[in-house]
C-alpha cells in the first residue's frame, strides 16, 4: 500500500508572529524556485501564539496547520491550557500529543496522553502520537516493550477505523535535540516493529494505512537515507524546521511522494 508522506515542522517554543511570517515568506521563495513533490503532505506546528500568522499563508503555500499540544478536556478551569475544539476552530488539522518533552518536563503519563488522543479525535483532529525510548532503555534492550506500552496505552481510549485517524511519530529520546540520528536500518526496523504492534491493536488494514514518522535530529543530509526505509513515512522535524531552507530540503528528500 502507498502511504502519502507527511513532513511536520515542530517549532516548539520558537518564533513570534513576526518570525512566523518571515519563515512563511522565505518558504514561499524556496517553493517558487523549487516546488516540493506534489505527493508530499507538509504541516507546520507553530506555538499557539503564531497559529493565526501561519494560517494566513497556509493555503497559498500548501501547508496543513498543526498544534503542539492540547488538553484532554474540551473546556473548564484549566489555566494556561488549550483545548482540541479551540484548535480545530483555529484551523488545525493535526495536534502533537505525547512528545517526550511533555512526558519528561511536565510529567505526562500514558493514561493522560490517551485522554488527549481521544479528545483530539472527538474534535475532528488527527493526533500525532509520539513514542520513543531513552538511551538507557535502548542500551538495556527495553526498546520494544517501552514502545509497545506507550502505543497500546496511548490508543487505549479510541477505536481506529482507518489509517487517516492517527499518525504515529517514533522519536528516540536519545536523538531529540542531540544531533544524534538513528541509522536508517535502526529506524526502519524499529518502525516496522511499531507497525506490527499497531496491527495487533487496530488491525492489519489500519496499521498498513497509518503513517509512521521518524523524528530525532532529522537534517537534510540524513533525510533521504531514512526515507528510503519502507516503514518511514515522513518526518517530525524539530530544530531543522526553524529555518525555511533546511526544512524545504528535508521535504524534497521525500522524492516522488510515494513510500
Amino acid at each position: 500500500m502507498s502511504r502519502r508522506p507527511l513532513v511536520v515542522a515542530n517549532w516548539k517554543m520558537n518564533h513570534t508572529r513576526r518570525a512566523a511570517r518571515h519563515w512563511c515568506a522565505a518558504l514561499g521563495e524556496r517553493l517558487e524556485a523549487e516546488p516540493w513533490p506534489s505527493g508530499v503532505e507538509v504541516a507546520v506546528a507553530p506555538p499557539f501564539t503564531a497559529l493565526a500568522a501561519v494560517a494566513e499563508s497556509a493555503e497559498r503555500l500548501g501547508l496543513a496547520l498543526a498544534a503542539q499540544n492540547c488538553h484532554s478536556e474540551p473546556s473548564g478551569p484549566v489555566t494556561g491550557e488549550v483545548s482540541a475544539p479551540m484548535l480545530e476552530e483555529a484551523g488545525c488539522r493535526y495536534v502533537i500529543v505525547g512528545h517526550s518533552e511533555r512526558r519528561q518536563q511536565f510529567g505526562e503519563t500514558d493514561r493522560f496522553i490517551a485522554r488527549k488522543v481521544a479528545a483530539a479525535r472527538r474534535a475532528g483532529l488527527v493526533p500525532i502520537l509520539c513514542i520513543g525510548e531513552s538511551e538507557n532503555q535502548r542500551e538495556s534492550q527495553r526498546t520494544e516493550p517501552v514502545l509497545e506500552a506507550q502505543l497500546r496505552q496511548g490508543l487505549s481510549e479510541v477505536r481506529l477505523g482507518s489509517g487517516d485517524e492517527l499518525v504515529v511519530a517514533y522519536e528516540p529520546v536519545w536523538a531529540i535535540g542531540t544531533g544524534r540520528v538513528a541509522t536508517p536500518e535502526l529506524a526502519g526496523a524499529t518502525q516496522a516493529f511499531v507497525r506490527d504492534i499497531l496491527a495487533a491493536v487496530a488491525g492489519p488494514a489500519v496499521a498498513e494505512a497509518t503513517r509512521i514518522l521518524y523524528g530525532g535530529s532529522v537534517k537534510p543530509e540524513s533525510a533521504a537515507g531514512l526515507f528510503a526505509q519502507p516503514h518511514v513515512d515522513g518526518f517530525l522535524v524539530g530544530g531543522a524546521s526553524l529555518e525555511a531552507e533546511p526544512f524545504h530540503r528535508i521535504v524534497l528528500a521525500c522524492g516522488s511522494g510515494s513510500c
Side-chain angles (χ1 to χ4, degrees):
M1 174 182 291
S2 179
R3 295 176 292 272
R4 185 184 183 190
L6 172 64
V7 183
V8 183
N10 177 18
W11 290 353
K12 306 188 181 184
M13 196 173 68
N14 295 287
H15 289 338
T16 62
R17 288 181 298 170
R18 178 180 296 179
R21 293 189 179 102
H22 177 78
W23 187 96
C24 289
L27 180 62
E29 293 177 0
R30 292 284 173 182
L31 290 174
E32 288 182 6
E34 188 173 11
W36 52 46
S38 59
V40 180
E41 184 179 8
V42 183
V44 178
F48 294 132
T49 54
L51 280 170
V54 175
E56 294 170 0
S57 303
E59 184 175 356
R60 174 176 60 85
L61 297 174
L63 299 172
L65 200 61
Q68 297 180 20
N69 186 34
C70 72
H71 197 267
S72 61
E73 298 298 324
S75 62
V78 193
T79 300
E81 290 291 332
V82 176
S83 72
M86 293 173 181
L87 297 173
E88 189 279 332
E89 185 184 49
C92 290
R93 170 170 170 73
Y94 297 98
V95 58
I96 300 169
V97 294
H99 194 282
S100 65
E101 292 161 2
R102 300 293 311 180
R103 295 175 188 264
Q104 293 179 337
Q105 298 179 33
F106 297 92
E108 294 191 1
T109 64
D110 287 324
R111 183 176 180 181
F112 186 42
I113 291 164
R115 291 166 54 198
K116 290 187 176 191
V117 170
R121 290 302 306 136
R122 285 193 298 269
L125 299 174
V126 178
I128 301 174
L129 174 59
C130 298
I131 61 174
E133 83 283 8
S134 68
E135 184 172 22
N136 180 62
Q137 288 166 337
R138 174 160 286 279
E139 290 180 348
S140 59
Q141 299 184 343
R142 289 185 289 149
T143 294
E144 291 188 356
V146 167
L147 297 183
E148 180 171 359
Q150 290 176 347
L151 188 58
R152 285 185 178 275
Q153 293 178 42
L155 298 179
S156 61
E157 296 199 14
V158 293
R159 178 173 295 180
L160 300 175
S162 74
D164 296 330
E165 299 174 4
L166 173 75
V167 174
V168 177
Y170 167 58
E171 292 199 302
V173 177
W174 47 268
I176 298 174
T178 65
R180 299 171 60 190
V181 183
T183 65
E185 294 75 18
L186 186 151
T190 305
Q191 296 193 194
F193 169 78
V194 171
R195 199 175 303 280
D196 287 343
I197 298 304
L198 189 58
V201 173
V206 170
E208 183 63 22
T210 298
R211 292 174 290 185
I212 304 176
L213 311 183
Y214 173 80
S217 297
V218 179
K219 292 181 171 55
E221 297 76 17
S222 60
L226 289 162
F227 186 71
Q229 296 295 312
H231 294 284
V232 176
D233 303 317
F235 303 107
L236 180 58
V237 187
S241 74
L242 296 181
E243 298 293 336
E245 189 272 337
F247 181 70
H248 177 243
R249 289 169 56 199
I250 289 173
V251 178
L252 291 176
C254 292
S256 65
S258 178
C259 293

